[in-house]
Amino acid sequence: KAGVTQTPRYLIKTRGQQVTLSCSPISGHRSVSWYQQTPGQGLQFLFEYFSETQRNKGNFPGRFSGRQFSNSRSEMNVSTLELGDSALYLCASSYGDGYEQYFGPGTRLTVT
Amino acid sequence: DQQVKQNSPSLSVQEGRISILNCDYTNSMFDYFLWYKKYPAEGPTFLISISSIKDKNEDGRFTVFLNKSAKHLSLHIVPSQPGDSAVYFCAASKAPTGKSTFGDGTTLTVKP
């Protein structure tokens, strides 16, 4: 079974721009969650999608948004990028509640 | 308010000895706990989990213990191997949800 894939792996953007990150979950997994990892803050939960609906949301500003498609693939969008948005963005998929999450390799976003 | 805490940023043990990684949580509503291992430039990898209705779960060299009254869990690795050197994250979740709250991680170094 193929693992969770994330594209692109690396991204450099300028402050004020917007960015879209993509995640393809493991086949059959319906839950997709997004996390931000920074050296000082650890893994911070962004949001979770389950069957195309946002089920949970973390404490991030509205500039961070996401969606999930009918094939469970998910995208997250960050608008008006700030320097502090530089981080590793991780996507994780799960079969459902009570199951462990499988993480992708992440997208390293650098905002200059 | 950090709901999941790993108070030891690093741990160093000798090959063949036991590694004990600790985690404390504050939210009594958590009912599912997980440990993940992370190597540099990779996403976290699921290691072992435990439901709140149990106090112990074993998988090969890895055992997780849960003390609900103390809101404390620990991961024991016996015997430790150099390949176990990585960052270990403790995570907690509350069903029904794909949202996990992570600790800041403990860097384990196993010396040959």
Side-chain angles (χ1 to χ4, degrees):
Chain A
K1 220 181 223 186
V4 178
T5 58
Q6 292 186 247
T7 56
R9 292 293 310 277
Y10 302 91
L11 206 49
I12 300 176
K13 289 287 189 178
T14 303
R15 192 170 49 183
Q17 288 185 314
Q18 76 161 15
V19 66
T20 299
L21 311 181
S22 181
C23 170
S24 292
I26 291 173
S27 177
H29 284 193
R30 297 177 296 168
S31 168
V32 175
S33 296
W34 289 88
Y35 295 86
Q36 180 196 65
Q37 185 182 22
T38 57
Q41 297 294 320
L43 272 88
Q44 301 291 315
F45 174 79
L46 280 154
F47 29 65
E48 181 218 1
Y49 287 87
F50 187 90
S51 296
E52 301 180 64
T53 301
Q54 187 180 85
R55 187 163 67 166
N56 284 288
K57 191 175 189 306
N59 296 323
F60 279 81
R63 299 184 297 107
F64 292 82
S65 63
R67 60 177 175 169
Q68 187 180 33
F69 302 96
S70 58
N71 62 358
S72 291
R73 190 178 69 85
S74 177
E75 289 181 347
M76 70 163 278
N77 184 275
V78 188
S79 62
T80 319
L81 284 166
E82 301 178 358
L83 295 179
D85 297 333
S86 294
L88 179 68
Y89 290 88
L90 292 160
C91 166
S93 77
S94 164
Y95 178 75
D97 297 334
Y99 291 85
E100 64 274 12
Q101 293 180 312
Y102 291 83
F103 283 81
T107 294
R108 172 72 63 185
L109 172 65
T110 301
V111 182
T112 62
Chain B
D1 173 35
Q2 194 168 9
Q3 298 187 57
V4 178
K5 291 183 182 179
Q6 294 176 256
N7 292 317
S8 298
S10 62
L11 175 67
S12 181
V13 299
Q14 209 65 37
E15 180 179 7
R17 306 294 291 268
I18 183 172
S19 294
I20 300 177
L21 297 97
N22 294 301
C23 178
D24 297 297
Y25 62 96
T26 58
N27 189 342
S28 58
M29 301 299 287
F30 288 138
D31 52 16
Y32 195 58
F33 304 89
L34 311 95
W35 285 94
Y36 290 86
K37 180 168 72 172
K38 187 179 186 300
Y39 293 116
E42 293 182 13
T45 301
F46 169 74
L47 205 54
I48 191 170
S49 64
I50 187 167
S51 164
S52 61
I53 62 173
K54 295 185 174 181
D55 54 20
K56 178 183 174 182
N57 188 27
E58 286 181 85
D59 185 1
R61 297 186 296 115
F62 302 91
T63 302
V64 57
F65 295 91
L66 175 62
N67 182 333
K68 287 191 294 291
S69 61
K71 294 191 180 67
H72 176 85
L73 64 155
S74 60
L75 173 69
H76 292 210
I77 306 174
V78 185
S80 301
Q81 299 172 354
D84 295 330
S85 297
V87 179
Y88 288 77
F89 289 97
C90 165
S93 67
K94 178 186 179 308
T97 176
K99 171 185 177 180
S100 287
T101 302
F102 282 78
D104 289 340
T106 296
T107 300
L108 173 65
T109 303
V110 181
K111 298 179 179 178

